Amino acid sequence: MKIDILTLFPEMFSALEHSIIGRAMDNNILSVNYVNIRDFSQDKHNRVDDYPFGGGPGMVMKPGPIDRALESVKGEDARVVYLTPKGKVFNHSMAKELAQEDHLVLICGHYEGIDNRIIENYVDDMISIGDYVLTGGEIASMVLVDSIGRLVPGVLPKEESYMEESHYGGILEYPQYTRPREYNGLSVPDILLSGNHKKIDQWRHYQALKNTYITRPDLLESYKLTKEDKIILNKIKDELSKEK
Ligand code: 6GU
């Protein structure tokens, strides 16, 4: 997969070099290219922003530099994504869909955003990473590159990508433990030491449903609950009401 990132701060992306994503970039499974929007300013002061028409606070990124930066990388097939708090909130199913693309172009906005004509002419998707405001789109872009990149075949070790499919099926993961068996007065649950894999899977699924019910009950609405799941959930609700 090829990813072009249009940004005023290419240096920020050095954070990506240190992870599994960095290795995928070294191995050319992911090819990430940074385009400095300022290089496409034709202003003698290299300006990339200006006052908003109609007044109001802050500055708006001018269309010209972004347009020329886009034309320098876009080609025919690219999917153009603009990172903005005004976008659709990013999730795992959007990551899976974007991971199918051969070529992504990510536009990182700053200030009060970009001139709307860039959105009208070029942008396929507007994406936000959550309901809060960042100072720019760079960190949000890195979130996309990391979460989409790990779904590209060959980026994760085989075993982990398999885990991804079989366990992160729309609910939160079960609790994990490693050695030592006793730590600060707390023991690893006996079942995990039992060697009974059927029981372990059942325990993990129960814990996953419980964590999801407590922390993200909204996820259960789009999760396909089996008959057994419904029974388990009633048990969980029962238990929790007794704890109160
Ligand atoms: Cl994509 N950009 C900015 N500036 N703030 C955000 C965001 C994006 N997503 C959440 N907050």
Side-chain angles (χ1 to χ4, degrees):
M1 171 186 276
K2 184 171 186 240
I3 306 176
D4 288 297
I5 302 178
L6 275 55
T7 170
L8 291 172
F9 299 99
E11 321 79 46
M12 284 180 75
F13 291 86
S14 60
L16 289 173
E17 288 164 20
H18 305 283
S19 62
I20 290 178
I21 299 300
R23 193 180 59 202
M25 279 156 49
D26 292 341
N27 297 337
N28 289 319
I29 304 171
L30 292 177
S31 144
V32 181
N33 172 48
Y34 306 106
V35 181
N36 192 331
I37 296 167
R38 201 174 297 280
D39 292 344
F40 293 84
S41 165
Q42 289 173 344
D43 184 289
K44 65 174 185 278
H45 303 292
N46 283 340
R47 278 188 64 180
V48 291
D49 62 334
D50 209 331
Y51 296 99
F53 277 121
M59 302 294 271
V60 175
M61 286 174 74
K62 293 160 72 63
I66 301 176
D67 193 322
R68 289 185 289 273
L70 270 170
E71 288 297 343
S72 78
V73 296
K74 205 173 68 66
E76 284 292 285
D77 59 333
R79 176 115 168 229
V80 179
V81 177
Y82 170 42
L83 282 305
T84 167
K86 292 190 253 188
K88 187 172 169 202
V89 178
F90 190 59
N91 63 27
H92 188 65
S93 89
M94 288 156 80
K96 279 204 279 200
E97 199 220 308
L98 290 169
Q100 309 298 312
E101 298 285 341
D102 292 324
H103 186 191
L104 295 178
V105 177
L106 308 181
I107 305 173
C108 306
H110 265 265
Y111 319 110
E112 295 302 312
I114 67 178
D115 188 288
N116 205 65
R117 288 163 293 187
I118 294 295
I119 299 169
E120 294 165 41
N121 279 337
Y122 292 107
V123 170
D124 297 305
D125 309 84
M126 298 210 282
I127 296 181
S128 160
I129 61 162
D131 292 335
Y132 41 80
V133 180
L134 302 168
T135 56
E138 280 75 13
I139 293 174
S141 274
M142 286 188 253
V143 167
L144 260 69
V145 172
D146 195 285
S147 59
I148 294 167
R150 66 186 284 286
L151 299 176
V152 170
V155 172
L156 288 187
K158 264 210 174 67
E159 199 183 326
E160 283 184 49
S161 35
Y162 166 77
M163 295 274 291
E164 203 276 329
E165 298 305 335
S166 63
H167 294 293
Y168 200 94
I171 55 174
L172 304 183
E173 225 203 307
Y174 49 80
Q176 297 277 19
Y177 297 86
T178 186
R179 283 186 282 194
R181 284 187 183 196
E182 297 279 338
Y183 185 74
N184 269 359
L186 293 174
S187 323
V188 174
D190 285 336
I191 189 114
L192 297 177
L193 310 172
S194 70
N196 184 335
H197 289 288
K198 190 159 173 244
K199 282 256 157 66
I200 291 172
D201 284 347
Q202 282 170 352
W203 180 86
R204 284 178 165 169
H205 186 60
Y206 179 95
Q207 298 296 326
L209 282 172
K210 184 172 172 185
N211 285 344
T212 309
Y213 177 72
I214 293 170
T215 314
R216 293 292 308 279
D218 57 300
L219 293 179
L220 292 174
E221 274 155 43
S222 35
Y223 182 74
K224 258 204 147 343
L225 291 168
T226 65
K227 233 198 264 164
E228 292 81 59
D229 287 340
K230 287 178 189 161
I231 297 167
I232 295 170
L233 264 179
N234 282 329
K235 209 168 128 194
I236 290 167
K237 288 176 197 174
D238 232 44
E239 257 175 37
L240 289 171
S241 68
K242 274 181 210 143
E243 280 173 29
K244 273 187 207 148

